[in-house]
Amino acid sequence: MYNVMIVEDQAMPRQLFELLIRQSANYRVMFSIESAAMAEVYCMQNDIDLILMDVCTAMGESGLEAAERIKRQYPHIKIIIVTSMPEYSYIERAKAAGVESFWYKETSKEPILELIDRTMAGESVYPDRTPRLRIGMAFSDELTEREIEVLRELTSGDPDAVIADRLGMSVWTVRSHIKHMLDKTGFDSRTRLAVAARESGLVILGY
């Protein structure tokens, strides 16, 4: 029997994961916690085989950052990232951290228990792509990767010069990307563009 830890800040999904896992004779819920801040401590003190890790957890803790730390210290622990956020960078960040599998709460067709079985059997299961979102008159896959990087920083409200410095590009390049995105999406201001991107979940700062 495998020992499972659930890291999920929302009560309903957390309880659903607990119920599903307890229905299987192959898994046991060892811990079910709200914040990734304590995940490493539980791994240190207990025999954990699998973690279901949300990205945005309580206390502002990033599940992706916690997963990266845990995989460095305990590479034998398998991790599945579970999220409802379509932020375009999450899949690549999870892969880079060594996370075994990735599951979207709302859009994944495969039941979570099946994905858990496949992961524990040694498979690495990832979606083919992030969910396709509509941003104004455009779809998210019509924006270039560099444009999306600028868009994420745009949601911070920081001046163009600060954004340019963080991304290692000129102010003029930042402004050019913003103009191209306004042209594609049809928004008449950068503020409307940033709000729409943030509300869609395409770009999320801090996680």
Side-chain angles (χ1 to χ4, degrees):
M1 181 175 286
Y2 295 113
N3 295 328
V4 181
M5 177 166 63
I6 300 166
V7 184
E8 165 65 65
D9 66 328
Q10 296 183 338
M12 189 173 294
R14 188 171 65 250
Q15 292 166 6
L16 180 59
F17 289 146
E18 292 171 10
L19 178 63
L20 290 172
I21 290 170
R22 285 170 178 150
Q23 289 177 349
S24 172
N26 297 324
Y27 306 102
R28 171 174 53 203
V29 178
M30 287 284 287
F31 303 101
S32 187
I33 61 177
E34 297 181 356
S35 176
M38 293 299 295
E40 291 171 83
V41 175
Y42 283 105
C43 291
M44 184 185 307
Q45 299 176 347
N46 301 275
D47 185 16
I48 304 294
D49 299 301
L50 170 69
I51 303 173
L52 298 186
M53 181 81 79
D54 194 8
V55 175
C56 305
T57 76
M59 300 165 54
E61 291 293 327
S62 166
L64 279 168
E65 292 179 2
E68 184 176 10
R69 295 192 297 268
I70 289 168
K71 291 302 291 185
R72 278 202 303 264
Q73 297 181 63
Y74 311 101
H76 65 283
I77 297 178
K78 296 185 183 297
I79 300 177
I80 300 174
I81 292 294
V82 294
T83 184
S84 59
M85 300 297 182
E87 220 284 353
Y88 90 105
S89 69
Y90 285 171
I91 289 178
E92 291 306 316
R93 287 175 60 191
K95 289 179 179 179
V99 168
E100 278 74 18
S101 298
F102 194 106
W103 191 78
Y104 284 116
K105 296 175 188 176
E106 277 81 20
T107 60
S108 293
K109 296 180 180 179
E110 183 174 20
I112 184 63
L113 201 55
E114 290 183 18
L115 187 130
I116 290 173
D117 288 338
R118 292 176 63 187
T119 301
M120 295 312 294
E123 289 189 61
S124 181
V125 187
Y126 274 80
D128 293 331
R129 52 177 289 172
T130 57
R132 193 172 190 240
L133 304 173
R134 192 169 189 88
I135 310 293
M137 295 169 54
F139 286 100
S140 52
D141 55 8
E142 296 176 50
L143 304 180
T144 69
E145 183 172 339
R146 204 59 167 153
E147 285 172 347
I148 294 177
E149 289 176 357
V150 172
L151 185 56
R152 180 191 288 107
E153 297 298 333
L154 190 63
T155 65
S156 69
D158 289 333
D160 291 347
V162 174
I163 293 174
D165 185 61
R166 278 203 295 262
L167 295 179
M169 60 177 65
S170 72
V171 172
W172 304 112
T173 301
V174 168
R175 291 173 180 167
S176 176
H177 283 311
I178 293 172
K179 182 182 183 303
H180 289 157
M181 287 188 285
L182 290 173
D183 290 342
K184 290 178 181 179
T185 60
F187 288 112
D188 58 5
S189 74
R190 55 194 288 150
T191 300
R192 290 179 186 272
L193 171 62
V195 169
R198 185 170 57 243
E199 289 180 347
S200 73
L202 175 64
V203 288
I204 301 171
L205 281 172
Y207 290 95

